[in-house]
Amino acid sequence: MTRAISILGATGSIGASTLDLIRREREKWRVVALTANCQAGELARLAREFGAEVAVVGDEACLPALRDALAGSGIAAAGGAGALVEAASRPADLVLAAIVGTAGLAPTMAAIEQGTTVALANKEALVSAGDVMTAAVARCGTTLLPVDSEHNAIFQCLAGNSLDHVRSITLTASGGPFRDWTYEQLVAATPAQAVRHPNWDMGAKISVDSATMFNKGLELIEAHHLFPVGHDKLKIVVHPQSVVHSMVEYRDGSTLAQLGPSDMRVPIANVLAWPARMDTPCAPLDLAALGELTFRAPDEQRFPATRLAREAVEAGGSAPAVLNAANEIAVAAFLAGHIPFTRIAAYVADVLAAAALPAPANLAEVIAVDGEARAVARAMMELA
Ligand code: NDP
């Protein structure tokens, strides 16, 4: 029996890791839809290789290039936000949501509304939509499988246990490329330095998020929605080796951890095969060669992002969506050379203080909050 899969964000880092695994057991999968934003040539190449039904670019201006690249293949081509939603709504056994940022929100919600199992990498969508997304998951009877390595680790450590018995959940953080830098060094950090992660090979946005620790902040909010044990039970510890991917402590004093190599194909394989297991080409863990695993408390003076995220979770309402939108604008401004690294968190704090927006009750309201927070952020950063 083959399983049908759609991959949103197929040309990205998570998309490539997913397709690498599917390529290794090609006979088990039927690829329905593959999407990108504008990498039309690469998307067409993948769509041809995997025999996709449809290939979609989010940016409509890139549709002519996609059509040209798919000419004669029999694969349908489409473009624009509506086409992404249509692609995500097509019948499939699994939708892998790996678009970066809130651009992935509407298609992810469309897959949830169809009742299709969603493997979620696109953390920004859950951070923005929060209760709106979890309510849709419950209403539609959808299963949300976490791809993020930390959340996938927690998911595995919780298997067969009740949330009622959880004393705490600890998210591990590598600390990013700047974990040992002084504040003065951080002020001068360049985009090229920020995207060079010591342990993981990832897209530019999440790499900067890892450097600021906003990635861990977003993950704290993500964990709050995926594993509702109460935000006071969520902890963060810096673990530079990225071998322990997260931990769950139970009321009897047992702590379960999931360990593995720093390779996203491990958590992706977990969601592809769930509830079974599949082979991966990932190097086995060699603890003796590693020698030691270390842990330390996060430094919220140099990296205020996790404190801001915790405050946003506690505030609830629109605060997580505002934090996420402000961070997306600030990261793009940093990558474009418009603002220094240390201003990313400073601007997010200022936008959170300035944008007192109502709590969103549905997808349209989440998108409205996201848009307003982006406008406030752009005005503050004096961006066009
Ligand atoms: P990449 O930047 O490598 O890829 C992003 C993908 O999204 C590409 O396919 C890109 O298309 C597409 N895309 C970007 N903008 C839009 C848009 N406006 N509309 C439609 N599609 C768009 O990101 P990653 O793969 O690193 O990350 C994807 C998601 O997974 C993020 O939310 C990230 O936080 C999460 N994640 C990533 C991990 C990793 O190891 N990379 C680990 C855990 C979570 P195009 O190529 O055409 O630009």
Side-chain angles (χ1 to χ4, degrees):
M1 267 256 295
T2 58
R3 293 178 72 212
I5 186 168
S6 290
I7 302 175
L8 314 177
T11 50
S13 160
I14 293 289
S17 294
T18 306
L19 288 167
D20 178 70
L21 292 172
I22 288 180
R23 192 178 280 117
R24 291 165 195 275
E25 45 174 49
R26 196 58 203 88
E27 69 293 347
K28 293 190 181 160
W29 295 94
R30 182 169 61 81
V31 175
V32 179
L34 295 179
T35 82
N37 189 34
C38 199
Q39 284 203 66
E42 176 62 5
L43 180 65
R45 189 187 68 72
L46 294 170
R48 284 177 184 270
E49 178 188 349
F50 288 91
E53 284 173 19
V54 61
V56 179
V57 278
D59 184 343
E60 237 169 324
C62 305
L63 181 55
L66 180 64
R67 283 211 178 101
D68 283 353
L70 285 175
S73 67
I75 299 168
L84 288 174
V85 167
E86 192 278 332
S89 308
R90 289 191 175 219
D93 297 299
L94 186 66
V95 167
L96 187 110
I99 290 175
V100 60
T102 40
L105 174 56
T108 302
M109 286 292 285
I112 291 170
E113 296 283 347
Q114 290 296 318
T116 309
T117 299
V118 172
L120 185 77
N122 180 202
K123 63 190 86 181
E124 297 92 345
L126 179 55
V127 168
S128 285
D131 296 338
V132 170
M133 185 179 284
T134 52
V137 167
R139 177 166 37 81
C140 303
T142 310
T143 302
L144 212 51
L145 298 171
V147 171
D148 226 338
S149 58
E150 295 78 359
H151 305 75
N152 186 265
I154 296 163
F155 177 69
Q156 294 195 50
C157 294
L158 283 171
N161 289 284
S162 161
L163 288 181
D164 294 340
H165 299 315
V166 172
R167 190 187 279 167
S168 69
I169 291 177
T170 300
L171 296 160
T172 52
S174 70
F178 304 152
R179 67 179 164 246
D180 296 318
W181 287 30
T182 63
Y183 182 78
E184 290 65 36
Q185 287 176 301
L186 292 179
V187 172
T190 67
Q193 290 168 324
V195 298
R196 215 177 300 130
H197 196 281
N199 305 354
W200 299 93
D201 182 13
M202 309 183 286
K205 196 260 177 183
I206 185 174
S207 297
V208 176
D209 284 346
S210 187
T212 57
M213 294 283 283
F214 266 109
N215 185 45
K216 216 46 55 182
L218 297 174
E219 288 178 7
L220 187 90
I221 302 171
E222 187 184 9
H224 168 68
H225 291 294
L226 288 172
F227 315 112
V229 292
H231 53 74
D232 52 322
K233 293 183 177 171
L234 300 177
K235 301 178 184 174
I236 294 170
V237 70
V238 174
H239 168 46
Q241 297 84 9
S242 297
V243 169
V244 176
H245 295 302
S246 279
M247 295 166 257
V248 177
E249 181 193 22
Y250 288 95
R251 60 198 286 186
D252 58 6
S254 284
T255 295
L256 302 192
Q258 185 261 352
L259 284 68
S262 310
D263 188 327
M264 282 307 294
R265 289 177 299 182
V266 175
I268 294 169
N270 180 258
V271 299
L272 288 181
W274 183 85
R277 296 271 176 180
M278 65 185 279
D279 291 331
T280 71
C282 304
L285 205 54
D286 185 345
L287 288 175
L290 276 163
E292 62 178 18
L293 301 178
T294 59
F295 302 90
R296 60 171 116 140
D299 177 351
E300 292 189 339
Q301 291 295 322
R302 282 179 305 143
F303 302 104
T306 48
R307 176 179 54 77
L308 292 170
R310 195 176 291 283
E311 287 169 4
V313 166
E314 283 166 12
S318 64
V322 171
L323 175 140
N324 178 68
N327 181 54
E328 282 193 35
I329 296 294
V331 170
F334 167 69
L335 285 171
H338 295 314
I339 65 169
F341 180 77
T342 42
R343 290 299 299 161
I344 298 175
Y347 274 123
V348 172
D350 290 349
V351 175
L352 272 167
L357 300 167
N362 53 45
L363 177 58
E365 290 180 13
V366 175
I367 291 169
V369 165
D370 178 72
E372 283 187 50
R374 279 165 196 268
V376 172
R378 278 202 193 91
M380 237 176 225
M381 290 174 224
E382 296 177 356
L383 303 170

